[in-house]
Amino acid sequence: MTKYNITEKKEKEAHYRSLVNPKLMDEMKEKINRIIVMEKKYLDKDYSAKKLAEDLGTNTRYISAVVNVRFHMNYTSFINKFRIEEAMAILVDRRYQKLRMEEVSDMVGFSNRQSFYASFFKMMKMTPRQFRLQHLALHPGEVIKPAKPTKAVKATKKTAKKASKKKSSKK
C-alpha cells in the first residue's frame, strides 16, 4: 500500500477561455500591456484584476482568460513578474543600496516582505538579498561605503554603552 496518492497534475482547460474571440484577445492583450506595463500599475498594491477589468470596461473572467492564454500565467504571477523585474533593477542600482528589503518590497508594490521574498524566490531561485550580494560580488566597484554616523548617532551609541556598563556592574 502506498503512503501517498500522487497523481500527475493535469492541465485544465477553462471553457470560457475558448469563448473569447482571438482578435478581441489580441486587442485586450495590448490594452493590458499598456495599462500594467506602460502606466506601471503593477507598482500599485491595490491594483487588482477587478480594477483592471473596470478600466478596460470588461469583467475579470475576460482578463483572466487573456492573461492565461496570451501570457501563459495567472494574473498574480503576471503582475509579480513586473514587480520582481523592478525590484531587481532597484537591488543593483547604486542609489538604492542602503534600502532595506522591506523598503524595496514596498517600492515595487508588494504588500509585505514575505510575499516579496516568496515571489522573488519563485522567479529567481534565490532571495532578494542573495541576488544583491551576488551582483555586488560580480561588480565590487559599485559598493557604496556607508556614510559616517552623525553626532546624534554617536551620542546615542555612547549612551547605550554607558547604560549597558551600568547594568553589568550592578550584577
Side-chain angles (χ1 to χ4, degrees):
M1 187 166 115
T2 60
K3 187 173 183 179
Y4 301 103
N5 184 11
I6 300 173
T7 58
E8 193 173 314
K9 184 178 178 183
K10 295 178 184 175
E11 190 67 29
K12 295 179 188 175
E13 186 60 41
H15 179 65
Y16 65 89
R17 290 181 193 160
S18 61
L19 297 177
V20 182
N21 180 340
K23 188 175 178 181
L24 178 62
M25 262 199 197
D26 290 337
E27 288 174 19
M28 286 185 66
K29 177 185 175 186
E30 294 303 317
K31 289 177 182 178
I32 290 170
N33 264 330
R34 180 181 48 77
I35 290 173
I36 299 295
V37 181
M38 304 305 274
E39 295 178 16
K40 293 193 172 193
K41 291 289 188 178
Y42 60 88
L43 296 175
D44 183 355
K45 292 177 179 129
D46 301 319
Y47 199 74
S48 63
K50 185 176 181 178
K51 286 186 181 177
L52 177 61
E54 288 171 7
D55 289 348
L56 293 175
T58 187
N59 62 43
T60 55
R61 283 237 168 174
Y62 280 147
I63 298 296
S64 175
V66 172
V67 172
N68 276 279
V69 172
R70 294 295 189 241
F71 298 106
H72 309 289
M73 60 185 83
N74 65 31
Y75 179 79
T76 303
S77 298
F78 178 69
I79 295 296
N80 286 347
K81 178 183 138 211
F82 295 109
R83 289 175 175 170
I84 297 303
E85 288 171 359
E86 185 86 13
M88 288 167 42
I90 290 170
L91 290 169
V92 300
D93 192 324
R94 293 185 60 202
R95 297 172 293 178
Y96 302 113
Q97 281 185 0
K98 294 180 184 179
L99 290 180
R100 296 183 341 262
M101 289 303 154
E102 291 84 1
E103 294 166 319
V104 174
S105 168
D106 191 53
M107 284 176 70
V108 299
F110 283 97
S111 56
N112 59 57
R113 189 178 66 89
Q114 290 80 8
S115 60
F116 171 55
Y117 264 75
S119 296
F120 196 99
F121 192 85
K122 184 178 180 182
M123 186 170 162
M124 300 303 300
K125 306 294 185 240
M126 67 176 76
T127 67
R129 184 176 185 280
Q130 290 170 328
F131 177 81
R132 179 186 268 170
L133 293 173
Q134 184 181 52
H135 175 79
L136 293 175
L138 295 173
H139 305 90
E142 293 184 14
V143 177
I144 295 176
K145 293 179 182 174
K148 292 181 181 178
T150 62
K151 290 180 182 179
V153 172
K154 287 180 182 177
T156 306
K157 287 182 179 178
K158 285 181 183 178
T159 308
K161 283 183 182 178
K162 286 179 183 177
S164 66
K165 284 182 182 178
K166 283 182 182 179
K167 283 183 181 178
S168 63
S169 64
K170 288 182 181 179
K171 290 180 181 179

